[in-house]
Every structure is written in structure tokens, then in C-alpha cells.
Amino acid sequence: MKLTKINLINFRNCSNINIVLSKKMNVFIGNNAQGKTNILEAIYVSATTKSHKSSKDKDIINFEKEEAHIRTYLEKEEIETRVDMHLRKSKTKGIAIDGVKIKKAAELL
């Protein structure tokens, strides 16, 4: 399974970012504090439902916002799957696969 696209809204310092990934190799280059690690963290969160840096969703949402979104597109055998993650400071996260809400994180894995 390959990650083909990622869209981040209000995730850490990424206010709105869309990335289309190469099928071969991707390299993120930039100055310090520009969001390279945040992109990798968002990929990790979308795959595991948890951050490797923080135990609380509110810590990975932009300070000035109440919610964040991670949308990833995965491809396996030319079939595309969309995973949407809605993070909220005051509620539990919402996760949907191809628009269908899931109740347990284990369903994503």
C-alpha cells in the first residue's frame, strides 16, 4: 500500500497544505520549523491514530484553532482509499474510510 496524497488543515503549523507524493521517492527539504517533521507526524497519526510526540489530540492542533483535519489517499493494486481524520480539542477524533465513519481505531489498522 502506498501513500499518494496528503492534505493537512490546522495540523500543528500547517494551516492548509496539499502534497501529491511520487510513487518512487519523496524528500522534504526546508529550513528549521517549516513543517517537515509535522508532515511525517501527520502520516504517522493517520496510520496509527496516535501521535508519537503527544498523547493528546489538542496538542497537535494549531494553537489558534479548535480542530484539525488529516486526509490521506492510499493506493493498493490501483484501488484508491481515502482516510479522513477529524481532530478536535474538546471531543474525541472522528475517522472515516472512504466516507464511512469507523467506531474503533482497530478498524483503520
Side-chain angles (χ1 to χ4, degrees):
M1 189 170 287
K2 292 184 180 183
L3 177 65
T4 60
K5 294 181 257 184
I6 185 164
N7 171 249
L8 304 175
I9 299 173
N10 300 327
F11 185 87
R12 295 213 182 257
N13 71 342
C14 302
S15 60
N16 189 351
I17 188 168
N18 292 295
I19 301 171
V20 177
L21 298 163
S22 167
K23 290 185 178 187
K24 294 186 179 186
M25 183 188 326
N26 296 277
V27 178
F28 298 112
I29 299 172
N31 293 329
N32 287 341
Q34 297 301 302
K36 300 177 301 293
T37 303
N38 295 342
I39 294 166
L40 297 176
E41 181 181 14
I43 293 167
Y44 185 86
V45 170
S46 71
T48 66
T49 74
K50 300 183 186 303
S51 169
H52 68 283
K53 292 174 114 180
S54 176
S55 61
K56 298 177 184 173
D57 288 344
K58 69 178 185 176
D59 295 336
I60 59 178
I61 298 170
N62 185 296
F63 294 120
E64 300 169 354
K65 306 295 181 182
E66 288 299 311
E67 53 189 50
H69 299 273
I70 302 171
R71 176 174 285 163
T72 54
Y73 293 87
L74 308 164
E75 188 177 292
K76 183 177 181 181
E77 297 174 4
E78 298 184 23
I79 298 173
E80 187 174 77
T81 302
R82 184 183 81 229
V83 177
D84 292 299
M85 197 165 290
H86 185 183
L87 308 166
R88 302 174 198 111
K89 285 187 179 178
S90 58
K91 296 181 183 178
T92 59
K93 71 175 63 76
I95 305 169
I97 300 172
D98 289 330
V100 178
K101 292 182 182 180
I102 63 172
K103 294 181 181 181
K104 296 181 181 179
E107 293 178 61
L108 175 64
L109 305 176

